[in-house]
Amino acid sequence: MQHSADGQPDGTATVQFPRPGFLASVFREFNTDQGQGQGLNPDAAAPGTPDDGGSGDGASGDGASGDGPAEPEESIAAHGRAAALTHHRTLTVQAEHDRLADLLRRAALPVSAMDFESQLRHYEPRPYPADGPETGSEAEPRWADFAPAGPATADPDGAPARRLLDSGYQRELAQARLAHQRSLREWRTRRAEADNSAADESRRVHEAAEEARARAVREYNESLEECRRAYRLSEPAAVESLLERALAAAETATQDLPAPCRAVFRPLTRTAVLDLDLPPLDLVPSLTGYRLAPDGDIVPVPRPPADRATDYLRLVARLALRALQAADAVDTDEILAGVVLNGWLREPGTAEPLCLVSVDADRDALARTRLLPPATPYEERDDEGVYADAEQDEALVRLRQLGAAVTPDPYGRVGVQPAAQAGAAVPAAPDLSANEFAQLVRDLLTRGGLAEWSVRLRGPAGLVATGEGAPGSALPGRWVVWASRGAAPVSAEEIVTLAEAVQEESAERGLRLTTGRFADEALDLTGEESHRHIHLVDGDGVSELARTHLGLPLAAGR
């Protein structure tokens, strides 16, 4: 506040300048005594002080005071722009996380069945409109348009009856009535003809359209029934067509995430091999956001590699389960004995795709597989949010319960061995999956007469099972079957092991089956009296059994 001459406040504000040298220079320019200014500090404005430095330094002080405040303001503005850009980039990363969470939710939606019954079309005839078409716009002839003018009379006050007795007027009236009746009759004739022709044409068009609709529905259902007959006969083309329609329908929930799946059916083992194209790795966000460094740089905040790999595998697990569900739901006639699914990562610039997940599931395992409910896996928790740990994710847990092989590090390009390749419809023995080989052995022996099949051990190389044949069949009595595949010859030690298993199971005979061959020592051992209850079938015998009982060839090796 400024003060008056008596030292009391006068109510006016005093402007404080950052440097007194500025006022000194201004007062000198106006030839004003520095000590006469009200509110001025004489000591601060006196010449020779360190703040002033003389009249020559006042100008330089002025220039310094003009540049000083501009630098902090520019720094603050730059910091604000950087903070806004950091926030904008973080929101973009958050949108990527939200999209991934939405894809995870939609990929777990239940799959609609695409069996033959659901694809049948039904014809419902549409009734012909009762009102019919509208007639033309020609108006009905009116008598007022034909009636002659009244007869002239000399006496306007005369009675009207006298006017009607005029003979000329009566002739005109009669002719007008005839003309009106003729016009009315012609109008009615034209209207009747127009109504009949338009109605007949409209009805013909309606009936032709309905006949075409009924014929299209009938022809479609007949073709569908023909496909169903071929499907029940396990024809590969029919089974593959049905599977691929079901797989394509399952993708409708995530059309913005291309994940095509191709199917190959192998009638030898009644197994469908599905090749699923996995989404690109960069679909999962690699950052959690951005932060502003003290020096003003915008620094990205990367996610832990394990978290990113887990999120990608969670999406892969849902896509794999969805494809398995689609194949299981469409197989209402139980043609499939199992499904092999391979998930392939196809990256531009790479010659060969990389298998990141492989599932070999039989019918019983597929019956127990269900997709996740759409709401439960996405309940947010304070510590994890929408992203759960890989060991707690239900989709991955169920996929591993099916015996799936899953890559531990998709971003490290660590692949897994496919359970089976989607190759020829009649593959060689090494191309079969573990479930396919077990199913093949079971089909061969059960059709040969061995019933009550029970698998005791099963692995990638083979299986051990028991069965019992009816008396008089090709395989009577109780059997222990040991089937394997591989290039190494079966040794005599394995024959001794099988004989011990036959004794432990209280069986009568043992069967050693291999897609390869037997060593000479094994052949000599089965020739002895103590091991004659052990029967041998080599690769050629397996191929002959497949041709005899299944009607399909099987190559013993490559």
Side-chain angles (χ1 to χ4, degrees):
M1 300 289 290
Q2 289 187 352
H3 293 70
S4 60
D6 57 355
Q8 297 299 325
D10 60 0
T12 61
T14 302
V15 179
Q16 300 293 335
F17 291 90
R19 295 189 62 181
F22 172 74
L23 287 179
S25 62
V26 173
F27 276 63
R28 279 193 296 271
E29 291 179 0
F30 286 92
N31 297 321
T32 306
D33 188 3
Q34 297 180 12
Q36 300 298 325
Q38 292 184 355
L40 297 178
N41 187 354
D43 296 335
T49 59
D51 291 337
D52 188 5
S55 59
D57 295 339
S60 62
D62 185 14
S65 64
D67 296 338
E71 294 179 358
E73 293 177 359
E74 181 63 27
S75 177
I76 293 174
H79 183 81
R81 289 192 296 269
L85 183 59
T86 303
H87 179 68
H88 175 72
R89 291 182 178 179
T90 301
L91 291 180
T92 303
V93 173
Q94 185 61 44
E96 295 177 357
H97 284 268
D98 294 341
R99 179 175 182 266
L100 176 61
D102 182 62
L103 287 175
L104 289 170
R105 179 190 62 81
R106 288 185 283 134
L109 294 176
V111 176
S112 301
M114 284 293 295
D115 55 0
F116 288 101
E117 295 297 333
S118 63
Q119 298 182 61
L120 285 174
R121 297 178 181 176
H122 303 280
Y123 168 70
E124 295 182 0
R126 296 175 297 188
Y128 180 75
D131 296 337
E134 296 182 357
T135 58
S137 59
E138 182 181 1
E140 180 180 358
R142 299 181 305 168
W143 164 248
D145 298 332
F146 294 85
T153 178
D155 185 8
D157 298 330
R162 290 186 177 274
R163 301 176 186 175
L164 297 178
L165 294 178
D166 184 86
S167 60
Y169 173 73
Q170 290 297 328
R171 284 194 298 271
E172 293 180 2
L173 184 61
Q175 293 176 357
R177 290 187 183 280
L178 291 176
H180 176 252
Q181 292 176 1
R182 185 183 307 110
S183 179
L184 184 62
R185 184 170 56 254
E186 293 176 354
W187 176 82
R188 290 174 178 174
T189 301
R190 290 194 302 271
R191 180 176 180 180
E193 292 177 353
D195 289 348
N196 292 336
S197 61
D200 294 343
E201 182 63 23
S202 177
R203 186 177 295 277
R204 282 194 299 269
V205 171
H206 175 78
E207 292 175 353
E210 290 302 302
E211 184 179 356
R213 289 181 61 244
R215 183 172 59 255
V217 172
R218 183 173 60 254
E219 292 176 354
Y220 173 81
N221 290 338
E222 290 175 355
S223 64
L224 193 64
E225 186 62 29
E226 185 66 25
C227 293
R228 187 172 189 171
R229 285 193 292 268
Y231 164 74
R232 288 175 173 174
L233 294 175
S234 299
E235 295 185 7
V239 178
E240 292 169 3
S241 175
L242 180 64
L243 288 174
E244 291 189 350
R245 283 202 301 270
L247 293 170
E251 296 181 29
T252 55
T254 55
Q255 294 182 353
D256 53 337
L257 178 64
C261 190
R262 292 165 295 277
V264 173
F265 177 69
R266 303 209 276 224
L268 176 67
T269 57
R270 296 186 294 121
T271 299
V273 182
L274 309 180
D275 277 346
L276 174 66
D277 287 352
L278 300 179
L281 295 173
D282 57 3
L283 179 67
V284 177
S286 60
L287 303 176
T288 58
Y290 289 85
R291 65 180 179 85
L292 190 60
D295 58 357
D297 292 338
I298 301 176
V299 181
V301 181
R303 299 183 62 199
D307 292 352
R308 191 184 185 197
T310 298
D311 292 341
Y312 183 80
L313 292 180
R314 293 173 68 229
L315 181 59
V316 168
R318 281 158 177 77
L319 295 178
L321 287 178
R322 185 177 68 179
L324 292 174
Q325 284 291 327
D328 180 54
V330 78
D331 187 34
T332 55
D333 292 324
E334 298 185 355
I335 299 299
L336 299 179
V339 176
V340 175
L341 182 140
N342 299 319
W344 300 94
L345 178 64
R346 307 179 189 273
E347 296 182 299
T350 57
E352 296 293 335
L354 183 65
C355 183
L356 298 182
V357 60
S358 185
V359 187
D360 184 12
D362 58 13
R363 174 175 296 281
D364 295 335
L366 288 176
R368 297 189 300 268
T369 305
R370 290 295 179 268
L371 285 176
L372 298 177
T376 53
Y378 308 106
E379 296 177 354
E380 292 194 7
R381 295 185 292 181
D382 295 337
D383 54 344
E384 294 178 354
V386 297
Y387 299 109
D389 184 37
E391 299 301 326
Q392 300 176 359
D393 184 74
E394 190 173 352
L396 282 169
V397 170
R398 293 196 178 190
L399 198 62
R400 290 190 172 98
Q401 288 176 351
L402 293 174
V406 183
T407 175
D409 186 9
Y411 291 91
R413 275 60 174 183
V414 179
V416 298
Q417 182 67 30
Q421 295 283 358
V426 183
D431 297 330
L432 300 176
S433 68
N435 283 330
E436 280 188 286
F437 183 73
Q439 184 65 36
L440 174 64
V441 173
R442 177 176 180 174
D443 289 345
L444 291 177
L445 298 183
T446 53
R447 295 195 182 190
L450 198 62
E452 298 183 8
W453 183 263
S454 176
V455 177
R456 301 303 177 87
L457 295 173
R458 185 172 64 183
L463 61 93
V464 176
T466 60
E468 187 169 350
S473 63
L475 300 172
R478 184 172 176 80
W479 292 71
V480 175
V481 179
W482 183 359
S484 64
R485 53 179 176 170
V490 177
S491 62
E493 289 77 5
E494 296 180 13
I495 303 300
V496 174
T497 303
L498 177 58
E500 295 174 353
V502 170
Q503 185 177 1
E504 293 176 359
E505 292 287 339
S506 300
E508 301 175 12
R509 296 176 178 85
L511 177 62
R512 184 66 176 92
L513 184 147
T514 179
T515 58
R517 63 183 184 87
F518 294 95
D520 294 338
E521 295 80 4
L523 295 175
D524 295 339
L525 182 60
T526 55
E528 298 178 3
E529 185 65 27
S530 59
H531 291 81
R532 287 190 176 180
H533 62 293
I534 305 298
H535 301 264
L536 308 180
V537 178
D538 59 4
D540 294 337
V542 173
S543 299
E544 185 61 29
L545 288 175
R547 184 178 295 105
T548 302
H549 296 297
L550 303 180
L552 295 170
L554 173 68
R558 294 188 183 277

